[in-house]
Amino acid sequence: MRLVRHHGEAGADNLLVHGDNLAALLALRGRFEGKIRCAYLDPPFNTGRTFAEYTDVRTSDDWASMIESRLRALAPLLADDGAVFAEIDDTELARLISLMDETFGAKNRISTITIVRSAPTGHKAKNQGPVHVSDFLLAYAKNKKLWRYNLQMRVRNGYDSAYRTWLDNPSAPPAHWAFRPLRTAVCHELGYPSVRDAERALGGRHELAHTIERYALDHAEHVVRFALPRYEAIARAMQKVVDESRAEPSRTFAHEREGRPPFFVRGGNRILFLKDKIKSVNHKNVIVQPITNVWDDVKFQGIAREGGVAFSRNKKPEFLVSRVIAMASKPGDWVIDPFLGSGTTAAVAHKMGRRWIGIESGDHCETLCERRLVRVVAGTDDTGVSALFGFEGGGGFAVARI
């Protein structure tokens, strides 16, 4: 492997490799063995189609042989607490699961994530059988016992109707807390004599509901829900508090916990605060919740101009890649993509403050990837996740050939 040029800050660690990814992965082993925290693979799906940048036509056995050799070359580069993510559609899903199991061990499988990438409209809806609208992301740890997941949240669609109780005096001692129905309290806070008066003034039930939800989000410290705790799963000290609250249901009990928020109980039910589920997004309070293994909030439409590169039907959204990187790494960690494509993983890793290695064999390594990354370094790429991470340019990278 030989270095051919640099862009941006001199001495930057980031590396764009132009050449065969198997040869590159083997060549990287001496310097990077055990250092890669997160690997993202978006290999050819074996669709049987020919694209402007590459031909995606192989027999299933040839495809599997190609992938297997790359996985085996990648494995030594992963840190002991690192993880690898491979995206695929259902054409070769079964083969890829088998290969990942063989290479990293089925016991180290973290998750199989379904990514909803389109809707059942247009020509897809005319296919026989269920309409294909998803990709799959296979996640494996190098050693699952050592891997640590960075919790990721997503914006909830709509209000959580379980939060329908208003707490008048959250700053008072819990034993003196007073509760009212959320609808009644909000209407009173807004100056309406009754819920019916508010409904009439606001133009109907739908408008009233929207007003109440918006008010609740902006005053979340007053809004709570009651939930029945799993009695057998909580500590004995907390069980005792639950028992006491059942014996005296009109009083709120609090159990202090070291390093954690207090455990509040009333009438045997735990009290949960809406404020603990709120995040400000674009100066607006929204409810967030942990992501699941179904991602239906990643937009594939409208990404054509991301990075200033055209990569028809093959480009992945920067937001998707940023979620993967955020799950499995922290700023300063190494991220690698052996099938760099249009340069998305390297661009996103750079914007997120990670160190990165991207490998691509086609001419588009220079015409797409390198030019895209030059714009990232220069701060002239304001697309994708640039604003999300407040990235305005900086850093640098080297270009090497294998």
Side-chain angles (χ1 to χ4, degrees):
M1 186 181 300
R2 60 185 178 89
L3 297 179
V4 293
R5 53 186 168 273
H6 287 82
H7 295 284
E9 296 178 3
D13 290 332
N14 304 314
L15 185 62
L16 174 63
V17 183
H18 189 177
D20 178 73
N21 56 6
L22 178 57
L25 289 169
L26 294 173
L28 291 168
R29 184 168 179 176
R31 178 184 172 190
F32 291 98
E33 183 170 359
K35 293 184 178 180
I36 304 298
R37 190 77 61 190
C38 175
Y40 172 75
L41 283 66
D42 184 23
F45 286 5
N46 204 19
T47 61
R49 302 178 62 186
T50 298
F51 301 98
E53 297 82 12
Y54 65 96
T55 299
D56 193 20
V57 182
R58 296 173 182 263
T59 67
S60 187
D61 287 343
D62 284 347
W63 181 89
S65 178
M66 182 272 292
I67 295 296
E68 180 180 21
S69 60
R70 273 71 181 172
L71 293 178
R72 293 193 180 281
L74 171 66
L77 302 182
L78 288 179
D80 289 340
D81 57 352
V84 54
F85 299 78
E87 189 161 345
I88 198 71
D89 68 6
D90 61 352
T91 305
E92 297 288 2
L93 174 62
R95 295 294 290 265
L96 184 57
I97 291 175
S98 178
L99 292 171
M100 297 283 278
D101 280 353
E102 291 174 8
T103 306
F104 301 103
K107 65 181 180 181
N108 290 315
R109 190 187 306 167
I110 298 168
S111 183
T112 299
I113 299 164
T114 300
I115 302 170
V116 180
R117 59 175 299 153
S118 60
T121 57
H123 71 279
K124 297 184 297 297
K126 299 177 182 178
N127 294 342
Q128 292 185 350
V131 182
H132 297 175
V133 298
S134 63
D135 284 352
F136 302 93
L137 187 65
L138 307 181
Y140 285 72
K142 178 74 171 287
N143 183 333
K144 196 173 180 180
K145 293 181 179 179
L146 299 178
W147 186 70
R148 294 294 179 268
Y149 169 58
N150 299 323
L151 179 64
Q152 300 300 303
M153 309 293 285
R154 59 166 290 181
V155 176
R156 176 189 171 91
N157 292 323
Y159 185 75
D160 187 344
S161 59
Y163 288 88
R164 56 177 181 267
T165 302
W166 179 269
L167 170 57
D168 284 324
N169 50 345
S171 60
H176 299 292
W177 280 356
F179 301 90
R180 288 185 288 165
L182 178 64
R183 283 163 54 90
T184 302
V186 171
C187 291
H188 179 265
E189 294 292 324
L190 293 176
Y192 298 108
S194 68
V195 172
R196 184 177 294 276
D197 289 321
E199 185 177 304
R200 289 171 180 165
L202 294 171
R205 292 182 180 179
H206 177 77
E207 290 74 12
L208 174 59
H210 178 74
T211 299
I212 291 173
E213 291 170 7
R214 188 74 261 154
Y215 195 89
L217 294 174
D218 292 338
H219 300 81
E221 70 278 7
H222 286 275
V223 183
V224 303
R225 64 168 291 192
F226 297 96
L228 189 66
R230 288 182 57 198
Y231 190 83
E232 71 282 359
I234 59 178
R236 288 186 178 180
M238 295 163 70
Q239 290 178 345
K240 181 180 179 181
V241 175
V242 171
D243 293 339
E244 291 174 349
S245 75
R246 287 171 176 167
E248 197 175 343
S250 61
R251 177 186 172 192
T252 300
F253 290 78
H255 174 68
E256 298 294 335
R257 298 181 293 177
E258 185 176 354
R260 300 181 65 187
F263 179 77
F264 298 111
V265 191
R266 185 180 179 90
N269 291 294
R270 185 178 180 184
I271 300 174
L272 302 175
F273 282 81
L274 181 60
K275 64 181 177 64
D276 295 329
K277 299 183 68 175
I278 293 293
K279 180 180 179 182
S280 179
V281 177
N282 296 325
H283 308 291
K284 182 178 180 180
N285 288 337
V286 295
I287 299 176
V288 295
Q289 59 191 20
I291 62 170
T292 68
N293 65 342
V294 177
W295 295 358
D296 59 1
D297 62 328
V298 179
K299 293 181 174 61
F300 281 74
Q301 294 71 35
I303 66 168
R305 64 180 293 270
E306 280 193 351
V309 297
F311 206 62
S312 178
R313 297 185 178 274
N314 302 297
K315 189 197 293 186
K316 297 300 185 290
E318 288 198 7
F319 177 74
L320 167 63
V321 178
S322 73
R323 176 174 284 176
V324 173
I325 293 175
M327 285 170 60
S329 70
K330 295 182 178 180
D333 286 342
W334 280 102
V335 175
I336 192 171
D337 184 343
F339 298 91
L340 191 58
S342 65
T344 302
T345 302
V348 173
H350 199 101
K351 295 175 184 180
M352 296 177 67
R354 273 63 167 176
R355 294 178 289 176
W356 54 264
I357 303 169
I359 309 169
E360 185 52 59
S361 61
D363 291 340
H364 55 282
C365 184
E366 294 183 8
T367 61
L368 297 183
C369 299
E370 186 173 349
R371 294 177 186 177
R372 177 180 190 170
L373 293 167
V374 167
R375 289 191 292 272
V376 170
V377 168
T380 57
D381 174 20
D382 60 356
T383 65
V385 297
S386 295
L388 180 62
F389 293 101
F391 182 79
E392 297 180 348
F397 66 98
V399 181
R401 283 187 175 273
I402 189 75

